[in-house]
Amino acid sequence: MRVDIDNMEVTVIIVMLLSLSEATNIGDMSARSKNRGKGSMWWGIAKAGEPNNLSPLSPGVPYLDSSAYYGTLRRKQRRLARENPGLLDAIAKGAKMAINECQFQFRNQRWNCSTRNFLRGKNLFGKIVDRGCRETSFIYAITSAAVTHAIARACSEGTIDTCNCDTHYKGRPQVFANGNNAAAVANVRDFEWGGCSDNIGFGFDVSREFVDTGERGKSLREKINLHNNEAGRWHVQSQMRQECKCHGMSGSCTVKTCWMRLPSFRVIGDLLKDRFDGASHVTASNGGNGRNNNKGHSNRLKHPRMNSIMSNSIHAKRENRRKLHKYNFQLKPFNPEHKPPGVKDLVYYEMSPGFCEKNPKLGIQGTHGRHCNDTSMGVEGCDIMCCGRGYRTQEIVVVERCNCTFHWCCEVKCDICRTRKTIHTCV
Amino acid sequence: MHSSEWFETDESLLFYDDNIILEETSQGVWEDCVAPSIFSVAYFLSQLVLVNFIFALFVSTVRLKKELFHLLSGVCGLYLIYQLEFYEGKLLLILVFSSSYLVLILIDLLQKALSLLGKEKIHRTSYFSSSNIIKYTLIVILVLCEYFLMNAATWLEIRGLVMVFSMKLISLVDDMEKDIVQFPSFFNYFGYIFCGANVIFGPWISFDEYNLMYDKPTRKNFRWMFSIVRTLAISLFFLTVSNCFCNYVIDGEMPVFLQSYKEALSFRTSHYFVSFLSEVTMLSAGYKNSKIWNEPDKWRYEIVNPLKIEYPTALATVVTHWNKPMHDFLKKYVYRSWLPLGKFYAILATFVMSSFLHGFELKVSVVLITIGIFSYLQFALREYFAGAFDCCMRVHPCKGCCKHKHKREALLSICFRLLFTLTNVIHLVYLGMLMDSSTDEIGIINKWRSLYFISFWLMSINVSIILQI
């Protein structure tokens, strides 16, 4: 309880920032037919079809106006969306979650994952994604992770008809597309004990199909994007656990109920941020070393997946057979003495640009007007954040909830407090 | 710092704030745990209710022939067994259950042979009485299954069913011996053993009670359906508590006592889930407590009383209200037959028999026998205190007019009883946490050590009071 309240202050401010930044983006939905080659156009659906970008998808409206989405999607993505009703809503939710998490993780850094420059024909995160730097790798990883997470969660909620707690995803998702509840329930029998454990598998597979679809080429750039997408998914996969419990007379096991425990997306954001800090610098592999490294890569691919699905050997078997060799390449570390990047590592091949000054060519806002902490010596400190330009100090009044108490059961009642706060902004 | 003049302008902020609270707390539990938990049993439960519901409607509308009634009842049970998600063991169950009729015949023949030999009917307390033979054979089979014959997972799956079956068989043979019931026809036996209302989750019902449905079917009405829905809702509520809310309210970083409380609570609520579920199956098949059999407006088949267990005034009440039909069974067929040897032995024998019925699994037996001894000691201490302080504080309130100086509602009595309730809560945590599946890895002693063997200390105080003063 305590922790939540401490966070709340932060979230209030973030929400304020967000609402400011996103107010400018409404209506930027039109003509993006150029730049189709980029696989990351789908990020745009985070902003599609919603007058208010902040509120989560309301449960009362099962499917949003999908035509708004379609402008940003490739053919294959559209097909997936068509075959799996409800998928697009989950992906949109995931994309939003990714943006929020990225902005949370980078709230104190010079680059704050802003999505302000969502202009015509450009990517949601701006031109920074055209480069192959650390920040780009994080964006790719977190969006792909968020999609996996959101799909898995939607599965357990039953909002994607082709995947719910009852049915296996066997590569032909349209089988149960009728969405009839009774039919879905009847398919419980097909599902061996495991409850909703396979949702993450569905999330993983669909995220692969959907997110990676644009990265078909053989260039280093695309391989890096694939690797980072994959890294994001692995982090979700490895954090997820299935828990089962037996019920029956005096501890016997007449019925078994299972449910999944997907960590909150914050956990995954934290993990990816750690990987961001230790991201591997890679370079184009020159010819010969693809051979010996292939082995290493496929081994690595095998283990985390197996560990995470260990609880159900049937799954492990199936997964191995199916998807081992899809991404059969190995990236070479820039410094030959370093280890080749693992499947969960983020990789980049270009150095990050400076984020201090406004750079329209790269779509960088600069740190002008950012908040900073005058007492901190870290990246959020005013010295580093403002790149030595100095900062302004002013006093503002923040309205927030306070003195929250938990009332049985189950609501939290809070007072509304007005707090005077001193904030520092970079000039 | 606090004032209200800014209030109106910033309402939009508060709205977003709300969303964040919702998303970070309860919603996750619903989506990740409550929904999938219910989903994963929904199909089986619907089958369970529907099959019994149709059976009940059929029985009360059409006057069936006797054989047909029993056949229908048994087929319902067979279908439900078939619906269970076991890999193995299903066929075994069906074979063993059906062939047990042969055992019944064999025993009958044996009795006839023995009585011819001895020229008189074997007395029912003798070792060779058919009820004793069947009891000990079943015990041997159960223990063999637990430890030698079957792999642990399969046995765990079918143990509940085998227990109910064993109780039915024992009670039937015992009743036959006492000439309460006649030797059953095959159909009658088949219907009783495979009765869809109680083959999966119990409860144990006596042969007479089973046949009552044919002789005098209960009147079905709107209240009947309502009671099914209500009991099902209660049952699912306990399922979600057991699976989800326990973990949600008590997370992994809280002190060890709370962790243990969580494990025990999770086990107890799982038991409530199963018990209410078995009540659902009984109700939907049209069964109800025999006391209210003729009252069409009352629909209950009481199995467990969660209030009496969550607020345990005495360990003896916990034991009684844990599983009433099973308690009745043990009282009628075990306790009474051992009573001539003395109360303590009778209680001990009951709990030993109960743990044998559980296949003598280590943790279950430890829990059962400990709770048996504890409840006896507590009973004795309260008797002693009631005399020493002249205070009405026995486990059961004094019958009629209380002759003690301090009545049941007197402060002294209330204080003592609260104290006992508190220690009982501790005992229940101490014992209940063993039932968690983590015990198999951690070990019983290690688990108890983490709570500093607190229950044993409490009980040793208890014993020393009884012995010394």
Side-chain angles (χ1 to χ4, degrees):
Chain A
M1 201 58 226
R2 202 65 250 163
V3 181
D4 278 354
I5 292 162
D6 290 342
N7 281 340
M8 214 175 308
E9 210 172 277
V10 180
T11 44
V12 169
I13 292 167
I14 289 174
V15 166
M16 273 181 2
L17 285 175
L18 272 174
S19 55
L20 276 178
S21 69
E22 260 145 27
T24 58
N25 291 334
I26 302 168
D28 286 340
M29 287 295 315
S30 49
R32 281 179 305 271
S33 46
K34 275 187 275 174
N35 228 347
R36 244 310 128 72
K38 288 276 182 297
S40 45
M41 283 301 293
W42 63 271
W43 290 338
I45 68 173
K47 307 283 184 188
E50 286 207 326
N52 179 2
N53 291 321
L54 278 169
S55 61
L57 294 177
S58 56
V61 188
Y63 306 118
L64 290 176
D65 175 21
S66 11
S67 62
Y69 290 146
Y70 275 30
T72 60
L73 299 183
R74 301 171 65 88
R75 193 181 299 134
K76 184 175 181 188
Q77 292 173 330
R78 270 183 256 172
R79 183 175 58 77
L80 275 171
R82 215 172 35 244
E83 285 171 354
N84 301 279
L87 179 73
L88 218 44
D89 292 319
I91 291 176
K93 209 170 174 177
K96 261 180 244 137
M97 198 160 73
I99 296 169
N100 287 337
E101 187 59 30
C102 180
Q103 285 172 347
F104 174 80
Q105 293 293 339
F106 286 88
R107 67 199 180 284
N108 292 328
Q109 309 244 338
R110 282 181 183 169
W111 178 72
N112 65 348
C113 201
S114 63
T115 53
R116 286 173 194 221
N117 40 5
F118 180 52
L119 300 171
R120 287 166 208 284
K122 292 285 173 286
N123 260 308
L124 179 68
F125 292 95
K127 289 182 198 159
I128 183 85
V129 282
D130 293 342
R131 292 174 71 96
C133 59
R134 277 172 193 257
E135 284 74 17
T136 322
S137 71
F138 186 83
I139 291 173
Y140 274 90
I142 196 118
T143 45
S144 134
V147 166
T148 314
H149 193 276
I151 294 175
R153 180 152 280 178
C155 284
S156 64
E157 282 173 62
T159 51
I160 299 180
D161 297 338
T162 47
C163 150
N164 49 37
C165 291
D166 319 320
T167 52
H168 266 306
Y169 172 66
K170 283 172 182 157
R172 41 183 176 86
Q174 59 275 43
V175 174
F176 307 118
N178 57 0
N180 185 340
N181 242 354
V185 167
N187 279 304
V188 161
R189 305 299 312 150
D190 300 336
F191 194 85
E192 297 101 344
W193 276 6
C196 297
S197 64
D198 209 30
N199 291 336
I200 190 74
F202 184 85
F204 200 97
D205 291 343
V206 172
S207 163
R208 235 173 189 169
E209 299 283 311
F210 190 95
V211 175
D212 292 357
T213 179
E215 319 288 345
R216 282 197 201 132
K218 295 261 179 267
S219 73
L220 177 62
R221 179 60 213 284
E222 275 148 329
K223 284 181 181 172
I224 280 182
N225 289 348
L226 279 183
H227 183 101
N228 291 327
N229 281 344
E230 193 77 356
R233 286 189 287 267
W234 282 115
H235 277 281
V236 178
Q237 165 93 71
S238 61
Q239 285 302 303
M240 135 109 194
R241 336 197 266 290
Q242 183 201 349
E243 294 192 352
C244 286
K245 192 175 169 66
C246 281
H247 302 275
M249 278 184 75
S250 311
S252 57
C253 198
T254 313
V255 287
K256 199 172 183 182
T257 51
C258 293
W259 66 99
M260 67 165 182
R261 283 201 136 177
L262 205 53
S264 84
F265 196 62
R266 176 57 35 84
V267 175
I268 289 153
D270 290 342
L271 286 170
L272 284 174
K273 180 64 173 26
D274 287 345
R275 299 283 171 163
F276 169 84
D277 292 332
S280 330
H281 191 175
V282 295
T283 181
S285 57
N286 31 6
N289 63 9
R291 187 173 7 98
N292 53 351
N293 281 334
N294 270 348
K295 206 168 34 175
H297 193 247
S298 51
N299 276 343
R300 211 175 277 113
L301 242 162
K302 205 166 169 177
H303 289 305
R305 180 116 187 165
M306 282 195 66
N307 288 341
S308 56
I309 312 195
M310 236 19 196
S311 52
N312 194 334
S313 56
I314 300 153
H315 292 184
K317 238 184 282 164
R318 192 163 55 83
E319 301 299 340
N320 282 342
R321 202 183 58 237
R322 196 172 68 222
K323 282 286 166 62
L324 251 184
H325 298 293
K326 179 156 181 183
Y327 299 121
N328 212 353
F329 56 85
Q330 174 64 43
L331 297 161
K332 194 185 167 201
F334 183 74
N335 182 343
E337 285 168 20
H338 289 173
K339 274 194 309 193
V343 74
K344 283 183 177 178
D345 287 324
L346 300 191
V347 295
Y348 65 99
Y349 71 102
E350 275 183 300
M351 298 312 287
S352 303
F355 293 103
C356 281
E357 297 302 326
K358 204 173 170 72
N359 184 348
K361 217 176 111 197
L362 291 172
I364 292 167
Q365 298 284 311
T367 62
H368 304 280
R370 293 279 305 279
H371 294 295
C372 61
N373 181 351
D374 62 337
T375 52
S376 164
M377 300 303 283
V379 279
E380 77 274 22
C382 287
D383 288 342
I384 294 178
M385 180 68 88
C386 306
C387 310
R389 294 187 306 263
Y391 56 94
R392 244 194 333 261
T393 302
Q394 57 192 141
E395 218 172 49
I396 59 155
V397 178
V398 180
V399 178
E400 60 191 12
R401 294 175 153 221
C402 57
N403 305 330
C404 291
T405 45
F406 181 75
H407 289 259
W408 188 260
C409 178
C410 301
E411 56 177 340
V412 179
K413 283 189 177 152
C414 299
D415 293 337
I416 291 147
C417 299
R418 201 163 61 89
T419 328
R420 214 168 282 278
K421 278 212 175 105
T422 310
I423 56 161
H424 310 282
T425 17
C426 297
V427 292
Chain B
M1 294 287 265
H2 301 238
S3 89
S4 61
E5 62 211 69
W6 287 75
F7 182 79
E8 295 84 8
T9 50
D10 284 276
E11 244 169 334
S12 54
L13 277 184
L14 298 169
F15 170 69
Y16 297 131
D17 219 14
D18 257 349
N19 277 344
I20 288 160
I21 290 176
L22 196 76
E23 204 155 285
E24 299 230 314
T25 53
S26 51
Q27 200 174 339
V29 182
W30 278 97
E31 290 173 2
D32 296 341
C33 188
V34 173
S37 296
I38 292 179
F39 253 125
S40 61
V41 287
Y43 175 74
F44 185 63
L45 298 201
S46 63
Q47 292 289 301
L48 213 55
V49 174
L50 267 180
V51 166
N52 284 309
F53 188 82
I54 292 166
F55 170 77
L57 280 185
F58 209 69
V59 166
S60 54
T61 46
V62 187
R63 185 69 195 159
L64 291 167
K65 272 184 139 181
K66 208 162 190 167
E67 283 74 27
L68 216 57
F69 169 86
H70 297 310
L71 195 66
L72 192 65
S73 162
V75 167
C76 286
L78 275 179
Y79 174 74
L80 288 173
I81 291 179
Y82 171 73
Q83 287 293 314
L84 277 170
E85 304 191 6
F86 299 162
Y87 292 123
E88 336 160 17
K90 255 190 248 184
L91 199 67
L92 195 75
L93 277 181
I94 293 169
L95 282 178
V96 169
F97 286 11
S98 330
S99 61
S100 59
Y101 190 68
L102 288 177
V103 178
L104 221 57
I105 295 172
L106 275 179
I107 285 185
D108 197 48
L109 287 177
L110 188 74
Q111 288 307 312
K112 279 182 185 140
L114 281 175
S115 57
L116 278 179
L117 234 76
K119 299 269 192 281
E120 54 183 314
K121 202 164 187 232
I122 302 289
H123 193 259
R124 54 178 301 274
T125 49
S126 100
Y127 292 113
F128 293 105
S129 73
S130 42
S131 64
N132 280 337
I133 293 175
I134 205 89
K135 259 180 222 169
Y136 300 124
T137 327
L138 276 173
I139 284 174
V140 171
I141 291 172
L142 285 167
V143 175
L144 281 179
C145 284
E146 173 77 34
Y147 286 103
F148 305 106
L149 292 181
M150 295 178 85
N151 90 24
T154 315
W155 173 239
L156 214 57
E157 285 164 9
I158 63 171
R159 192 175 73 191
L161 281 80
V162 176
M163 270 171 63
V164 177
F165 161 76
S166 312
M167 288 195 282
K168 282 180 182 170
L169 191 56
I170 290 173
S171 68
L172 177 62
V173 172
D174 205 289
D175 282 350
M176 274 159 52
E177 205 173 51
K178 288 179 203 155
D179 288 327
I180 298 174
V181 297
Q182 298 294 311
F183 191 88
S185 71
F186 176 75
F187 283 113
N188 200 344
Y189 182 77
F190 176 77
Y192 174 53
I193 291 293
F194 284 104
C195 176
N198 47 42
V199 71
I200 306 283
F201 291 108
W204 164 81
I205 60 170
S206 69
F207 192 62
D208 276 342
E209 208 177 344
Y210 164 74
N211 282 326
L212 198 56
M213 183 55 83
Y214 178 76
D215 301 331
K216 223 170 25 168
T218 44
R219 277 240 311 275
K220 315 294 188 297
N221 50 17
F222 180 71
R223 278 174 186 277
W224 169 57
M225 294 184 212
F226 174 71
S227 75
I228 297 172
V229 174
R230 190 197 56 189
T231 318
L232 190 63
I234 297 173
S235 158
L236 288 177
F237 165 73
F238 282 122
L239 171 70
T240 57
V241 172
S242 173
N243 279 4
C244 312
F245 293 114
C246 281
N247 290 319
Y248 173 58
V249 174
I250 303 170
D251 66 37
E253 280 144 35
M254 291 188 177
V256 64
F257 182 78
L258 277 181
Q259 297 299 328
S260 310
Y261 185 80
K262 178 181 82 180
E263 285 178 3
L265 180 66
S266 175
F267 169 68
R268 290 201 301 272
T269 43
S270 163
H271 171 74
Y272 304 151
F273 160 64
V274 170
S275 301
F276 277 101
L277 198 57
S278 61
E279 183 174 340
V280 170
T281 58
M282 286 298 273
L283 287 177
S284 47
Y287 284 93
K288 54 171 143 179
N289 280 122
S290 41
K291 271 184 195 164
I292 52 169
W293 193 269
N294 294 320
E295 298 175 47
D297 283 349
K298 287 188 183 158
W299 285 94
R300 255 335 287 272
Y301 196 97
E302 207 178 354
I303 290 165
V304 69
N305 189 338
L307 289 179
K308 289 250 165 68
I309 299 170
E310 293 305 308
Y311 184 80
T313 50
L315 285 176
T317 33
V318 172
V319 173
T320 338
H321 291 95
W322 183 254
N323 187 334
K324 277 184 196 155
M326 187 162 181
H327 174 79
D328 291 343
F329 167 84
L330 289 168
K331 195 169 168 184
K332 198 167 166 191
Y333 299 101
V334 185
Y335 180 78
R336 291 223 178 112
S337 64
W338 284 81
L339 202 54
L341 289 180
K343 210 169 177 183
F344 180 75
Y345 290 105
I347 290 175
L348 197 64
T350 310
F351 282 94
V352 170
M353 181 64 190
S354 173
S355 56
F356 271 125
L357 278 175
H358 288 89
F360 219 64
E361 193 197 1
L362 190 63
K363 64 183 182 191
V364 181
S365 315
V366 166
V367 169
L368 281 172
I369 291 169
T370 318
I371 205 170
I373 295 171
F374 278 14
S375 62
Y376 180 79
L377 289 176
Q378 198 179 57
F379 193 85
L381 182 72
R382 289 175 74 144
E383 289 286 314
Y384 176 82
F385 273 179
F389 292 96
D390 199 8
C391 171
C392 183
M393 50 173 287
R394 290 196 182 107
V395 172
H396 307 290
C398 317
K399 275 178 193 132
C401 187
C402 176
K403 300 232 167 50
H404 294 112
K405 193 175 140 213
H406 303 277
K407 304 286 181 235
R408 192 80 175 169
E409 284 76 34
L411 190 64
L412 187 69
S413 166
I414 290 174
C415 286
F416 266 117
R417 282 187 292 139
L418 267 179
L419 190 69
F420 276 115
T421 305
L422 193 72
T423 55
N424 288 336
V425 168
I426 294 172
H427 290 318
L428 284 190
V429 170
Y430 189 74
L431 295 173
M433 70 173 180
L434 290 192
M435 298 302 290
D436 192 78
S437 57
S438 62
T439 308
D440 302 332
E441 297 149 31
I442 303 172
I444 294 172
I445 297 295
N446 286 335
K447 275 206 145 178
W448 276 351
R449 187 178 292 133
S450 70
L451 287 188
Y452 310 104
F453 300 101
I454 181 168
S455 271
F456 288 129
W457 292 115
L458 285 174
M459 264 304 144
S460 56
I461 295 172
N462 196 332
V463 172
S464 59
I465 291 173
I466 297 175
L467 292 182
Q468 284 171 9
I469 309 173

